[in-house]
Amino acid sequence: MSNAPRIKAIDALLPQTQCGKCGHPGCKPYAEGIAAGEAINKCPPGGQATVEALAELLQRPALPLAESPVPAQVAFIREAECIGCTKCIQACPVDAISGAAKLMHTVIAAECSGCELCVAPCPVDCIDILPLADAAARAQRARADQFRRRFEARNARLARDDARRQAERQARARPPAAASDHAPVQSAIERVRAQQAAAAPANDHQKRLKIEASMARVALSKAEKQLAARGTPELQAQVAELRAAAEAAQAALVAAEAPPGASAVGVGDDRDALLKKAKIAAAMSRAQLSKAQKAFGAAPTAGQQAQLAELRAAASQAQAHLDACQGTNEASLTPGEQALKQAKIAYRSARDAVREAEDKNAAEHLRQALLASLSAAEQALHAAEAACGKPAPELLRTEKRPIDPALRALKTELAYARAEVSKLQRRVPLDEAALERARTRLAEAERQVDAHAGD
């Protein structure tokens, strides 16, 4: 028998699991090795029956298996635990796993050869190898030709993909084409350059405004740090002035960057969209500042103080942008409204200074001075509200029911009990004893929650 028919005959006797347990990357390479004189007892999935069939074909002695035999089996993915990493798909030699990245995978049982190659790459260990009953095992052995075809088709596909990638790399490495091919690209570049040259004066003005706004924020940040360290009334007044200057610089920058027809006093859908975005940005900036103040606590570190200063500046900028979009600039306000706005800014600055001093446990004399400034700012605000002529807002107070710590603990226990029952119900094989204990725990948690609600 010549070598090619010999290899084909040997390969026909192998189980085609393509598992690699023989030390070769597939059944056909092992067949080639056997034809070259390699031992015939290296196929655990084929078992002793395959060894005897090979011995009869090749007229060799039937050696015992080098390893323990592997019964017919199939892979099973616990789909609830699968994270969609695709590592098992890449490892499967017969393309018997279906799925996509970040989506659930599943094994096509009729296509699975039971090679076990998908188990090791799984990072969450959610793949089980299940033995087959006698009838299913015989049916799997009968599909050996099908496994061979799928293995060869997969190798051909991988070879095509590799050839395509090599061709793409070579195409990228080629020298550039003639200059005439780049004429459209060069024209586009020239158009962009012309547009940039036309917009240069406006861009220069915006750059100056950006620099001024940035310098104002830096000066405000430095003054706030000095106020936090010393806390004198003079520094408090300086911080208020710098904050107003930073807001004005930011408002000027926002006005310069606004496209034509989208001014703060404009009308239409564009203005409404800009106003909505400005409101959202201002609200998010205030929420971030409040969250950071709560997280850093009463004694923030130097780095945390710098973060707070940046968040305050961002909140001020967002508010200035919102004011510009709403048209509440100084020119559009009456004298009474201007005075009211300035009084509100002064009161807010004084209130923030008092809160910051309380959080940092400042000296008593400093806190008293800041409280006096806050009281004066509050009186000035009331006077400005009275002089402005606007009606005072109607306050509506609502009583919030306090959270019961005991009920919260009971509900937490109930949630944990439900999660444990759900987890045990999905486990294979099912642990009846553990599941019964989890159900007892769940029933007790539900009873305690109901009893507490009844009280």
Side-chain angles (χ1 to χ4, degrees):
M1 185 183 296
S2 62
N3 202 35
R6 180 189 298 267
I7 293 174
K8 185 175 181 181
I10 295 171
D11 186 45
L13 296 177
L14 297 177
Q16 303 301 319
T17 55
Q18 318 297 341
C19 62
K21 290 182 171 63
C22 58
H24 293 273
C27 292
K28 188 172 184 179
Y30 181 40
E32 295 171 351
I34 292 176
E38 193 170 340
I40 62 175
N41 62 341
K42 296 183 179 180
C43 181
Q48 192 63 33
T50 299
V51 174
E52 294 174 357
L54 290 172
E56 182 179 356
L57 174 68
L58 302 173
Q59 299 300 310
R60 297 186 191 178
L63 302 175
L65 273 176
E67 299 182 12
S68 300
V70 175
Q73 55 193 10
V74 67
F76 175 78
I77 295 177
R78 299 193 297 276
E79 297 172 351
E81 302 174 27
C82 175
I83 61 174
C85 67
T86 73
K87 293 184 181 296
C88 59
I89 295 178
Q90 300 170 32
C92 181
V94 292
D95 285 340
I97 301 178
S98 176
K102 298 183 180 180
L103 297 175
M104 181 186 70
H105 301 351
T106 189
V107 176
I108 306 172
E111 308 291 352
C112 178
S113 65
C115 66
E116 303 182 24
L117 293 178
C118 57
V119 175
C122 180
V124 295
D125 193 21
C126 69
I127 301 178
D128 296 325
I129 300 297
L130 306 179
L132 294 177
D134 293 340
R138 288 193 297 271
Q140 187 186 65
R141 295 307 187 204
R143 293 196 294 271
D145 292 339
Q146 172 185 332
F147 297 150
R148 182 189 298 109
R149 290 193 298 270
R150 293 185 68 86
F151 180 66
E152 293 174 349
R154 176 179 182 271
N155 289 339
R157 172 173 57 81
L158 294 178
R160 289 194 303 271
D161 293 344
D162 184 66
R164 176 179 53 79
R165 286 191 293 268
Q166 293 294 338
E168 291 175 353
R169 293 193 187 100
Q170 293 175 4
R172 288 195 296 267
R174 290 172 187 166
S180 59
D181 295 340
H182 284 266
V185 177
Q186 189 63 32
S187 301
I189 294 175
E190 294 298 333
R191 287 196 299 271
V192 171
R193 288 176 178 173
Q195 294 173 359
Q196 292 176 346
N203 289 339
D204 291 341
H205 179 61
Q206 292 179 5
K207 288 179 181 178
R208 287 196 298 270
L209 292 177
K210 286 182 179 179
I211 293 172
E212 292 175 0
S214 177
M215 292 178 64
R217 290 195 299 271
V218 171
L220 175 60
S221 177
K222 290 182 178 179
E224 287 179 337
K225 292 179 181 178
Q226 294 178 357
L227 177 62
R230 302 177 186 176
T232 61
E234 292 79 6
L235 286 175
Q236 172 64 29
Q238 183 181 0
V239 166
E241 293 177 0
L242 289 174
R243 184 174 288 114
E247 292 175 354
Q250 183 63 26
L253 175 61
V254 170
E257 290 179 341
S263 61
V265 295
V267 294
D269 294 338
D270 292 341
R271 179 184 178 279
D272 293 339
L274 289 173
L275 180 59
K276 183 177 181 180
K277 291 181 180 179
K279 287 182 178 180
I280 294 173
M284 292 181 64
S285 299
R286 291 194 299 269
Q288 291 175 352
L289 176 59
S290 176
K291 184 177 181 180
Q293 288 174 337
K294 293 179 181 178
F296 294 159
T301 63
Q304 292 173 347
Q305 291 178 4
Q307 293 181 28
L308 289 174
E310 293 178 1
L311 291 174
R312 290 193 186 96
S316 299
Q317 295 165 16
Q319 185 61 41
H321 186 196
L322 176 60
D323 291 343
C325 292
Q326 289 177 328
T328 56
N329 50 22
E330 297 296 332
S332 64
L333 299 177
T334 64
E337 291 174 341
Q338 293 178 10
L340 177 59
K341 181 178 179 181
Q342 295 299 326
K344 287 182 178 179
I345 294 175
Y347 175 75
R348 184 177 62 185
S349 300
R351 184 186 59 192
D352 292 343
V354 170
R355 290 178 177 175
E356 189 172 359
E358 291 176 347
D359 292 341
K360 296 179 179 179
N361 294 323
E364 182 63 25
H365 69 280
L366 175 59
R367 285 191 288 177
Q368 292 299 328
L370 293 175
L371 286 173
S373 299
L374 177 60
S375 178
E378 186 176 4
Q379 294 176 4
L381 177 59
H382 292 331
E385 288 175 343
C388 181
K390 284 188 175 181
E394 182 178 354
L395 301 180
L396 178 62
R397 297 185 180 275
T398 58
E399 295 294 337
K400 291 185 178 180
R401 185 177 180 182
I403 299 175
D404 186 356
L407 180 59
R408 173 182 289 176
L410 291 176
K411 288 186 175 181
T412 302
E413 170 63 17
L414 178 60
Y416 279 123
R418 286 174 177 166
E420 184 180 8
V421 170
S422 178
K423 180 179 179 181
L424 291 174
Q425 287 175 339
R426 296 193 306 268
R427 182 169 296 176
V428 178
L430 190 64
D431 189 343
E432 294 290 349
L435 181 58
E436 184 61 28
R437 290 193 298 271
R439 286 172 175 167
T440 303
R441 176 188 177 187
L442 176 59
E444 177 62 20
E446 292 175 343
R447 186 192 66 77
Q448 291 184 7
V449 170
D450 294 340
H452 190 279
D455 295 341

